[in-house]
Structure formats: structure tokens, C-alpha cells
Amino acid sequence: MEIITGELRRLRSGPGAEDDDEPRPFLVRLRFTAEDPAQVIDNARAVLRCVVSQTGDWPADELWPQLLPAWFIQRCAPETPEPEHGEPFDMEAWLRQWRAMTPEEKAAVDQGPWTLSGWLYYFDPTEEGMGDDRSWWWWHAGTDESGGWVQVATTGWPFGSGSLSWLIEASGGVDLVYGP
């Protein structure tokens, strides 16, 4: 819970003296461009503050559209309908379809908008999600002459950056580039 408390504090006001007392984390910077980079950062902070503050008592799926900003919900891809009549998900058929895709087709699938449930999965601390095994935490953000940047503490390089990329893209950032 200490990690979450620190992340929420940094989301509100950036790194502080409290962070100097901790061992220096492995930090990665995501650079992006946007018409208004400061607004992208504000948007991303608003969404992430909402999600991170919920980790103690994770809301049901149907409550998230009321908790998160409407613009974020609207930018997410439509949810995949549940199989009818209780039919189980056909993992083998999905795997055959995935293996038949070219590398370009697979990359295109990864580049599109995420569903809300797909994005929240990476923050969900229950046994249904990966929130207890997150690989990045908000550290700092800012703007400069080339656009904006978000710095995250990570578990190392490479790390599971897809949920961060989608957050910045949905918030209005484009031309994302990762680096130290």
C-alpha cells in the first residue's frame, strides 16, 4: 500500500522530499507530442488518480463508467460481447487466428484503442486482474520544447508498457517514444 500512497502523492504534486529517502527506482521516460502537452498530462493524471485510489476496494466493471472521466470512456474501444447462451470462450480458435496473423497485423491489433476492461485489467488487484503485479508506477511528468513527457518507475527494461501507452494516447498524446 506504501507504493500506492507514494504514487497518488506524485500524481497530485510530483516527486517530493519523501522520495529522496527511498532507494532510487529504475525510471523510464515516455515522450509524446500533442497540441497541448500539459492537458495530456492533466488528463492522464485524472484517470490514473481515479484508478489507483480504487485499488483497496476494486469497483465492479459496471461502475467504472461513472467513476472515470467520460472522455476516457468514449476513447476506449467497445467491449467484446460475451458469448451467447453461456458458450465458453474458444481459446484454441483465438490462438489459431492470432498465429495466422502477420507481424504487421499483430502490431495493428496492439496499436488500436484498448477496451476499458482490457486497460483496467492491469490495475485490478483482485485475482481476476494483474494489479498486484504491475510493472510501472507514475513518478513525474512535464513539458518541454518538444512536447511532453511522463516518467514512470518500473521493474526494469523492457516492462509492460502497453497500459501506459494507451493512457497517454487516450489522453491526447501521439508519437510516443520510450527512453531513459
Side-chain angles (χ1 to χ4, degrees), residues 29-34 36-37 39-45 47-48 71-72 75 119 136 138 140-141 148-152 161-178:
R29 193 168 278 207
L30 170 59
R31 295 187 173 282
F32 63 89
T33 59
D36 186 352
Q39 185 62 55
V40 171
I41 293 167
D42 288 347
N43 288 348
R45 279 184 170 137
V47 171
L48 202 53
W71 62 262
F72 184 75
R75 292 176 187 166
W119 187 76
W136 65 268
W138 188 277
H140 199 24
W149 54 269
V150 172
Q151 195 171 39
V152 294
S161 60
S163 58
L164 173 60
S165 295
W166 172 241
L167 174 63
I168 299 305
E169 288 173 9
S171 297
V174 295
D175 303 324
L176 281 57
V177 177
Y178 283 90

Short mmCIF file of all heavy atoms in Angstrom, two decimals, residues 29-34 36-37 39-45 47-48 71-72 75 119 136 138 140-141 148-152 161-178:
data_model
loop_
_atom_site.label_atom_id
_atom_site.label_comp_id
_atom_site.label_asym_id
_atom_site.label_seq_id
_atom_site.Cartn_x
_atom_site.Cartn_y
_atom_site.Cartn_z
N ARG A 29 11.33 7.16 -19.24
CA ARG A 29 10.59 8.34 -19.70
C ARG A 29 9.88 8.01 -21.00
O ARG A 29 10.46 7.43 -21.90
CB ARG A 29 11.56 9.50 -19.90
CG ARG A 29 10.85 10.82 -20.06
CD ARG A 29 11.83 11.95 -19.97
NE ARG A 29 12.08 12.24 -18.57
CZ ARG A 29 12.44 13.42 -18.10
NH1 ARG A 29 12.64 14.43 -18.92
NH2 ARG A 29 12.64 13.60 -16.81
N LEU A 30 8.62 8.40 -21.07
CA LEU A 30 7.81 8.29 -22.28
C LEU A 30 7.60 9.70 -22.80
O LEU A 30 6.99 10.53 -22.13
CB LEU A 30 6.47 7.62 -21.97
CG LEU A 30 5.41 7.65 -23.08
CD1 LEU A 30 5.92 6.97 -24.35
CD2 LEU A 30 4.13 7.00 -22.60
N ARG A 31 8.13 9.98 -23.97
CA ARG A 31 7.95 11.30 -24.60
C ARG A 31 6.80 11.21 -25.59
O ARG A 31 6.58 10.17 -26.20
CB ARG A 31 9.22 11.72 -25.32
CG ARG A 31 10.38 11.94 -24.37
CD ARG A 31 11.60 12.52 -25.10
NE ARG A 31 12.61 12.87 -24.15
CZ ARG A 31 12.61 13.96 -23.39
NH1 ARG A 31 11.64 14.82 -23.49
NH2 ARG A 31 13.58 14.19 -22.53
N PHE A 32 6.09 12.33 -25.75
CA PHE A 32 4.97 12.37 -26.69
C PHE A 32 4.84 13.80 -27.21
O PHE A 32 5.39 14.74 -26.64
CB PHE A 32 3.67 11.91 -26.01
CG PHE A 32 3.24 12.80 -24.87
CD1 PHE A 32 2.43 13.91 -25.09
CD2 PHE A 32 3.66 12.53 -23.58
CE1 PHE A 32 2.04 14.73 -24.04
CE2 PHE A 32 3.29 13.35 -22.52
CZ PHE A 32 2.48 14.45 -22.75
N THR A 33 4.10 13.93 -28.30
CA THR A 33 3.76 15.25 -28.80
C THR A 33 2.25 15.41 -28.69
O THR A 33 1.51 14.43 -28.62
CB THR A 33 4.21 15.46 -30.27
OG1 THR A 33 3.60 14.47 -31.09
CG2 THR A 33 5.74 15.34 -30.39
N ALA A 34 1.82 16.66 -28.68
CA ALA A 34 0.39 16.97 -28.58
C ALA A 34 0.21 18.46 -28.81
O ALA A 34 1.15 19.24 -28.65
CB ALA A 34 -0.15 16.58 -27.21
N ASP A 36 -1.55 20.30 -26.92
CA ASP A 36 -1.45 20.85 -25.57
C ASP A 36 -0.90 19.77 -24.65
O ASP A 36 -1.66 19.07 -23.97
CB ASP A 36 -2.84 21.33 -25.11
CG ASP A 36 -2.79 22.05 -23.77
OD1 ASP A 36 -1.72 22.06 -23.12
OD2 ASP A 36 -3.84 22.59 -23.38
N PRO A 37 0.44 19.62 -24.59
CA PRO A 37 1.02 18.55 -23.77
C PRO A 37 0.63 18.62 -22.29
O PRO A 37 0.45 17.59 -21.65
CB PRO A 37 2.53 18.75 -23.94
CG PRO A 37 2.70 19.58 -25.15
CD PRO A 37 1.46 20.39 -25.31
N GLN A 39 -2.21 19.52 -21.08
CA GLN A 39 -3.55 18.95 -20.96
C GLN A 39 -3.50 17.42 -21.01
O GLN A 39 -4.23 16.75 -20.28
CB GLN A 39 -4.48 19.48 -22.05
CG GLN A 39 -5.91 19.02 -21.92
CD GLN A 39 -6.55 19.51 -20.62
OE1 GLN A 39 -6.55 20.70 -20.35
NE2 GLN A 39 -7.08 18.59 -19.83
N VAL A 40 -2.62 16.87 -21.84
CA VAL A 40 -2.46 15.42 -21.90
C VAL A 40 -2.05 14.90 -20.53
O VAL A 40 -2.60 13.92 -20.03
CB VAL A 40 -1.42 15.02 -22.98
CG1 VAL A 40 -1.08 13.53 -22.90
CG2 VAL A 40 -1.92 15.39 -24.37
N ILE A 41 -1.10 15.57 -19.90
CA ILE A 41 -0.63 15.16 -18.58
C ILE A 41 -1.76 15.28 -17.55
O ILE A 41 -1.98 14.37 -16.75
CB ILE A 41 0.61 15.98 -18.17
CG1 ILE A 41 1.79 15.62 -19.08
CG2 ILE A 41 0.95 15.74 -16.70
CD1 ILE A 41 2.96 16.56 -18.98
N ASP A 42 -2.49 16.39 -17.59
CA ASP A 42 -3.62 16.56 -16.67
C ASP A 42 -4.66 15.47 -16.87
O ASP A 42 -5.20 14.91 -15.90
CB ASP A 42 -4.28 17.93 -16.86
CG ASP A 42 -3.43 19.08 -16.34
OD1 ASP A 42 -2.44 18.83 -15.61
OD2 ASP A 42 -3.74 20.23 -16.69
N ASN A 43 -4.96 15.14 -18.14
CA ASN A 43 -5.92 14.08 -18.44
C ASN A 43 -5.45 12.74 -17.88
O ASN A 43 -6.22 12.01 -17.23
CB ASN A 43 -6.13 13.95 -19.95
CG ASN A 43 -6.92 15.08 -20.55
OD1 ASN A 43 -7.52 15.89 -19.86
ND2 ASN A 43 -6.90 15.17 -21.88
N ALA A 44 -4.20 12.40 -18.15
CA ALA A 44 -3.65 11.12 -17.69
C ALA A 44 -3.67 11.04 -16.17
O ALA A 44 -4.02 10.01 -15.59
CB ALA A 44 -2.24 10.93 -18.23
N ARG A 45 -3.29 12.13 -15.52
CA ARG A 45 -3.31 12.16 -14.05
C ARG A 45 -4.72 11.93 -13.51
O ARG A 45 -4.91 11.19 -12.54
CB ARG A 45 -2.78 13.49 -13.54
CG ARG A 45 -1.29 13.60 -13.53
CD ARG A 45 -0.87 14.93 -12.92
NE ARG A 45 0.54 14.95 -12.67
CZ ARG A 45 1.33 15.98 -12.95
NH1 ARG A 45 0.83 17.09 -13.49
NH2 ARG A 45 2.62 15.91 -12.69
N VAL A 47 -7.27 10.31 -14.82
CA VAL A 47 -7.68 8.91 -14.97
C VAL A 47 -6.93 8.03 -13.98
O VAL A 47 -7.52 7.21 -13.27
CB VAL A 47 -7.44 8.43 -16.42
CG1 VAL A 47 -7.64 6.93 -16.54
CG2 VAL A 47 -8.35 9.17 -17.39
N LEU A 48 -5.62 8.20 -13.93
CA LEU A 48 -4.82 7.33 -13.08
C LEU A 48 -5.10 7.55 -11.59
O LEU A 48 -5.13 6.59 -10.83
CB LEU A 48 -3.33 7.54 -13.39
CG LEU A 48 -2.40 6.41 -13.01
CD1 LEU A 48 -2.86 5.07 -13.59
CD2 LEU A 48 -0.99 6.71 -13.46
N TRP A 71 -14.65 11.42 -21.24
CA TRP A 71 -13.81 11.45 -22.45
C TRP A 71 -12.96 10.18 -22.55
O TRP A 71 -12.71 9.68 -23.65
CB TRP A 71 -12.93 12.71 -22.51
CG TRP A 71 -11.96 12.83 -21.37
CD1 TRP A 71 -12.12 13.57 -20.24
CD2 TRP A 71 -10.70 12.18 -21.25
NE1 TRP A 71 -11.04 13.41 -19.40
CE2 TRP A 71 -10.14 12.56 -20.01
CE3 TRP A 71 -9.97 11.31 -22.06
CZ2 TRP A 71 -8.91 12.11 -19.56
CZ3 TRP A 71 -8.73 10.86 -21.61
CH2 TRP A 71 -8.21 11.26 -20.39
N PHE A 72 -12.49 9.64 -21.41
CA PHE A 72 -11.67 8.43 -21.43
C PHE A 72 -12.51 7.23 -21.84
O PHE A 72 -12.09 6.42 -22.68
CB PHE A 72 -11.02 8.19 -20.06
CG PHE A 72 -10.09 7.00 -20.05
CD1 PHE A 72 -8.85 7.07 -20.65
CD2 PHE A 72 -10.47 5.81 -19.43
CE1 PHE A 72 -7.99 5.97 -20.64
CE2 PHE A 72 -9.63 4.72 -19.42
CZ PHE A 72 -8.38 4.80 -20.03
N ARG A 75 -13.14 7.18 -25.55
CA ARG A 75 -11.97 6.87 -26.39
C ARG A 75 -11.58 5.40 -26.34
O ARG A 75 -10.77 4.95 -27.15
CB ARG A 75 -10.80 7.76 -26.00
CG ARG A 75 -11.08 9.20 -26.37
CD ARG A 75 -10.01 10.14 -25.94
NE ARG A 75 -10.44 11.51 -26.21
CZ ARG A 75 -9.86 12.58 -25.73
NH1 ARG A 75 -8.79 12.47 -24.96
NH2 ARG A 75 -10.33 13.78 -26.00
N TRP A 119 -7.93 -2.43 -20.31
CA TRP A 119 -6.99 -1.50 -19.67
C TRP A 119 -7.03 -1.65 -18.15
O TRP A 119 -5.99 -1.71 -17.49
CB TRP A 119 -7.31 -0.06 -20.09
CG TRP A 119 -6.30 0.92 -19.61
CD1 TRP A 119 -5.05 1.14 -20.12
CD2 TRP A 119 -6.44 1.80 -18.49
NE1 TRP A 119 -4.41 2.11 -19.39
CE2 TRP A 119 -5.24 2.53 -18.38
CE3 TRP A 119 -7.47 2.04 -17.58
CZ2 TRP A 119 -5.03 3.48 -17.41
CZ3 TRP A 119 -7.26 2.99 -16.59
CH2 TRP A 119 -6.06 3.70 -16.52
N TRP A 136 4.73 -0.74 -13.69
CA TRP A 136 5.09 0.68 -13.70
C TRP A 136 4.21 1.47 -12.76
O TRP A 136 3.08 1.08 -12.49
CB TRP A 136 5.03 1.26 -15.12
CG TRP A 136 3.66 1.31 -15.73
CD1 TRP A 136 3.08 0.35 -16.51
CD2 TRP A 136 2.68 2.36 -15.61
NE1 TRP A 136 1.80 0.72 -16.87
CE2 TRP A 136 1.53 1.96 -16.34
CE3 TRP A 136 2.65 3.60 -14.96
CZ2 TRP A 136 0.38 2.75 -16.43
CZ3 TRP A 136 1.51 4.38 -15.06
CH2 TRP A 136 0.40 3.96 -15.80
N TRP A 138 3.49 5.78 -11.69
CA TRP A 138 3.72 7.19 -12.03
C TRP A 138 4.79 7.78 -11.13
O TRP A 138 4.77 7.62 -9.91
CB TRP A 138 2.42 7.95 -11.84
CG TRP A 138 2.45 9.35 -12.33
CD1 TRP A 138 2.93 10.44 -11.66
CD2 TRP A 138 1.97 9.83 -13.58
NE1 TRP A 138 2.77 11.57 -12.42
CE2 TRP A 138 2.18 11.23 -13.60
CE3 TRP A 138 1.37 9.23 -14.67
CZ2 TRP A 138 1.81 12.03 -14.67
CZ3 TRP A 138 1.00 10.02 -15.74
CH2 TRP A 138 1.22 11.39 -15.74
N HIS A 140 6.75 11.13 -12.42
CA HIS A 140 6.81 12.57 -12.67
C HIS A 140 6.34 12.84 -14.10
O HIS A 140 6.28 11.92 -14.91
CB HIS A 140 8.24 13.06 -12.46
CG HIS A 140 8.40 14.52 -12.25
ND1 HIS A 140 7.41 15.33 -11.76
CD2 HIS A 140 9.46 15.34 -12.46
CE1 HIS A 140 7.87 16.57 -11.67
NE2 HIS A 140 9.10 16.61 -12.09
N ALA A 141 6.05 14.08 -14.42
CA ALA A 141 5.65 14.44 -15.78
C ALA A 141 5.93 15.92 -15.99
O ALA A 141 6.04 16.69 -15.03
CB ALA A 141 4.16 14.15 -16.00
N GLY A 148 5.67 16.73 -24.47
CA GLY A 148 5.51 16.36 -23.07
C GLY A 148 6.21 15.05 -22.77
O GLY A 148 6.65 14.34 -23.68
N TRP A 149 6.32 14.75 -21.50
CA TRP A 149 6.94 13.50 -21.07
C TRP A 149 6.31 13.05 -19.76
O TRP A 149 5.82 13.85 -18.97
CB TRP A 149 8.44 13.64 -20.92
CG TRP A 149 8.87 14.78 -20.02
CD1 TRP A 149 9.14 16.06 -20.42
CD2 TRP A 149 9.05 14.75 -18.60
NE1 TRP A 149 9.47 16.83 -19.32
CE2 TRP A 149 9.43 16.05 -18.20
CE3 TRP A 149 8.91 13.76 -17.63
CZ2 TRP A 149 9.67 16.38 -16.88
CZ3 TRP A 149 9.15 14.08 -16.30
CH2 TRP A 149 9.54 15.39 -15.94
N VAL A 150 6.30 11.74 -19.61
CA VAL A 150 5.87 11.11 -18.36
C VAL A 150 6.99 10.18 -17.95
O VAL A 150 7.51 9.42 -18.78
CB VAL A 150 4.56 10.31 -18.57
CG1 VAL A 150 4.23 9.50 -17.34
CG2 VAL A 150 3.42 11.23 -18.94
N GLN A 151 7.36 10.26 -16.69
CA GLN A 151 8.40 9.38 -16.17
C GLN A 151 7.74 8.41 -15.21
O GLN A 151 6.95 8.81 -14.35
CB GLN A 151 9.45 10.23 -15.45
CG GLN A 151 10.73 9.51 -15.17
CD GLN A 151 11.79 10.48 -14.67
OE1 GLN A 151 11.49 11.39 -13.91
NE2 GLN A 151 13.02 10.28 -15.10
N VAL A 152 8.06 7.13 -15.37
CA VAL A 152 7.49 6.10 -14.51
C VAL A 152 8.60 5.29 -13.87
O VAL A 152 9.67 5.09 -14.46
CB VAL A 152 6.52 5.16 -15.28
CG1 VAL A 152 5.30 5.92 -15.77
CG2 VAL A 152 7.21 4.45 -16.42
N SER A 161 4.49 -1.93 -20.88
CA SER A 161 4.21 -0.51 -21.09
C SER A 161 2.91 -0.23 -21.84
O SER A 161 2.54 0.92 -21.99
CB SER A 161 5.37 0.12 -21.86
OG SER A 161 5.52 -0.51 -23.13
N GLY A 162 2.21 -1.26 -22.29
CA GLY A 162 1.01 -1.05 -23.10
C GLY A 162 -0.06 -0.23 -22.41
O GLY A 162 -0.67 0.65 -23.01
N SER A 163 -0.29 -0.48 -21.12
CA SER A 163 -1.33 0.26 -20.41
C SER A 163 -0.94 1.74 -20.25
O SER A 163 -1.81 2.62 -20.31
CB SER A 163 -1.63 -0.37 -19.05
OG SER A 163 -0.45 -0.42 -18.25
N LEU A 164 0.34 2.02 -20.10
CA LEU A 164 0.81 3.41 -20.04
C LEU A 164 0.66 4.07 -21.40
O LEU A 164 0.16 5.21 -21.50
CB LEU A 164 2.27 3.47 -19.57
CG LEU A 164 2.93 4.85 -19.61
CD1 LEU A 164 2.19 5.85 -18.71
CD2 LEU A 164 4.39 4.73 -19.20
N SER A 165 1.06 3.39 -22.45
CA SER A 165 0.93 3.95 -23.80
C SER A 165 -0.52 4.29 -24.11
O SER A 165 -0.82 5.38 -24.62
CB SER A 165 1.45 2.97 -24.86
OG SER A 165 2.83 2.77 -24.72
N TRP A 166 -1.45 3.36 -23.78
CA TRP A 166 -2.85 3.64 -24.07
C TRP A 166 -3.36 4.82 -23.25
O TRP A 166 -4.12 5.65 -23.74
CB TRP A 166 -3.74 2.41 -23.87
CG TRP A 166 -5.18 2.78 -23.98
CD1 TRP A 166 -6.14 2.66 -23.02
CD2 TRP A 166 -5.83 3.40 -25.10
NE1 TRP A 166 -7.33 3.15 -23.48
CE2 TRP A 166 -7.17 3.62 -24.77
CE3 TRP A 166 -5.40 3.80 -26.36
CZ2 TRP A 166 -8.09 4.21 -25.62
CZ3 TRP A 166 -6.31 4.39 -27.22
CH2 TRP A 166 -7.64 4.59 -26.86
N LEU A 167 -2.94 4.93 -22.00
CA LEU A 167 -3.36 6.05 -21.17
C LEU A 167 -2.94 7.38 -21.81
O LEU A 167 -3.74 8.31 -21.91
CB LEU A 167 -2.75 5.94 -19.77
CG LEU A 167 -2.98 7.12 -18.84
CD1 LEU A 167 -4.46 7.32 -18.55
CD2 LEU A 167 -2.18 6.94 -17.56
N ILE A 168 -1.71 7.46 -22.29
CA ILE A 168 -1.22 8.71 -22.90
C ILE A 168 -1.90 8.95 -24.24
O ILE A 168 -2.27 10.09 -24.56
CB ILE A 168 0.32 8.69 -23.02
CG1 ILE A 168 0.96 8.55 -21.64
CG2 ILE A 168 0.82 9.93 -23.75
CD1 ILE A 168 0.54 9.61 -20.62
N GLU A 169 -2.09 7.92 -25.05
CA GLU A 169 -2.78 8.09 -26.33
C GLU A 169 -4.23 8.54 -26.11
O GLU A 169 -4.70 9.46 -26.78
CB GLU A 169 -2.75 6.79 -27.13
CG GLU A 169 -1.39 6.45 -27.69
CD GLU A 169 -1.33 5.08 -28.33
OE1 GLU A 169 -2.39 4.44 -28.50
OE2 GLU A 169 -0.22 4.65 -28.67
N ALA A 170 -4.93 7.89 -25.20
CA ALA A 170 -6.32 8.27 -24.92
C ALA A 170 -6.39 9.69 -24.37
O ALA A 170 -7.37 10.40 -24.58
CB ALA A 170 -6.96 7.29 -23.94
N SER A 171 -5.35 10.13 -23.69
CA SER A 171 -5.29 11.47 -23.11
C SER A 171 -4.93 12.54 -24.14
O SER A 171 -4.96 13.72 -23.82
CB SER A 171 -4.27 11.50 -21.96
OG SER A 171 -4.68 10.63 -20.93
N GLY A 172 -4.57 12.11 -25.37
CA GLY A 172 -4.29 13.07 -26.44
C GLY A 172 -2.86 13.09 -26.93
O GLY A 172 -2.53 13.87 -27.82
N GLY A 173 -1.99 12.25 -26.39
CA GLY A 173 -0.60 12.21 -26.84
C GLY A 173 -0.43 11.36 -28.09
O GLY A 173 -1.15 10.38 -28.27
N VAL A 174 0.51 11.75 -28.94
CA VAL A 174 0.84 11.00 -30.14
C VAL A 174 2.37 10.89 -30.25
O VAL A 174 3.10 11.54 -29.50
CB VAL A 174 0.25 11.64 -31.43
CG1 VAL A 174 -1.26 11.61 -31.40
CG2 VAL A 174 0.76 13.05 -31.61
N ASP A 175 2.82 10.10 -31.21
CA ASP A 175 4.26 9.94 -31.46
C ASP A 175 5.02 9.56 -30.20
O ASP A 175 6.02 10.17 -29.84
CB ASP A 175 4.86 11.23 -32.07
CG ASP A 175 4.17 11.65 -33.36
OD1 ASP A 175 3.77 10.75 -34.13
OD2 ASP A 175 4.02 12.86 -33.57
N LEU A 176 4.56 8.51 -29.52
CA LEU A 176 5.15 8.08 -28.27
C LEU A 176 6.51 7.44 -28.50
O LEU A 176 6.66 6.62 -29.41
CB LEU A 176 4.23 7.07 -27.57
CG LEU A 176 3.03 7.62 -26.81
CD1 LEU A 176 2.11 8.46 -27.65
CD2 LEU A 176 2.27 6.50 -26.16
N VAL A 177 7.48 7.80 -27.65
CA VAL A 177 8.83 7.24 -27.72
C VAL A 177 9.32 6.99 -26.30
O VAL A 177 9.30 7.90 -25.47
CB VAL A 177 9.81 8.19 -28.46
CG1 VAL A 177 11.21 7.62 -28.45
CG2 VAL A 177 9.35 8.48 -29.85
N TYR A 178 9.76 5.76 -26.03
CA TYR A 178 10.29 5.41 -24.71
C TYR A 178 11.81 5.57 -24.70
O TYR A 178 12.47 5.35 -25.69
CB TYR A 178 9.96 3.96 -24.35
CG TYR A 178 8.53 3.78 -23.92
CD1 TYR A 178 7.53 3.49 -24.83
CD2 TYR A 178 8.20 3.92 -22.57
CE1 TYR A 178 6.21 3.33 -24.42
CE2 TYR A 178 6.88 3.75 -22.16
CZ TYR A 178 5.91 3.46 -23.09
OH TYR A 178 4.61 3.30 -22.68
#
